Amino acid sequence: MTNHDRIHALEPAHHRNRWSVGTVESLEQRDGHCVVTVTDEAGEAVELVVTLAVRDLFVGRLDIGQGDSPVGERVWYRRHGG
């Protein structure tokens, strides 16, 4: 069982201090999951593993056109256990 990270297109309304902000650098599919690489506020790359359904959900909530790339978009995330 894979422990999935969490990612949101919109700033969370609760427990804001538990979330980090990053910019999407890339998305790729690996082993039936989506790996979202974000650059955190310190400029470090962070790999987040989410389900394909979560990928579709957060990409669909970004303010981009249908079919446009989410690269460069701001997101909020939590590493598993974070």
Side-chain angles (χ1 to χ4, degrees):
M1 181 171 130
T2 300
N3 293 318
H4 294 101
D5 300 308
R6 298 185 64 195
I7 189 166
H8 286 289
L10 304 173
E11 183 175 3
H14 301 292
H15 306 292
R16 289 182 179 129
N17 60 328
R18 294 184 184 177
W19 295 85
S20 299
V21 177
T23 303
V24 176
E25 293 298 321
S26 67
L27 279 88
E28 66 179 75
Q29 194 167 328
R30 189 185 311 156
D31 300 324
H33 295 88
C34 179
V35 178
V36 183
T37 302
V38 300
T39 301
D40 66 15
E41 292 178 313
E44 299 291 322
V46 178
E47 279 194 351
L48 306 168
V49 178
V50 298
T51 65
L52 299 177
V54 168
R55 175 205 58 197
D56 294 345
L57 185 64
F58 97 81
V59 170
R61 290 183 175 166
L62 290 170
D63 190 19
I64 59 176
Q66 186 174 7
D68 288 347
S69 172
V71 170
E73 294 295 316
R74 184 178 184 187
V75 294
W76 286 259
Y77 67 91
R78 283 177 59 186
R79 300 286 314 221
H80 175 73

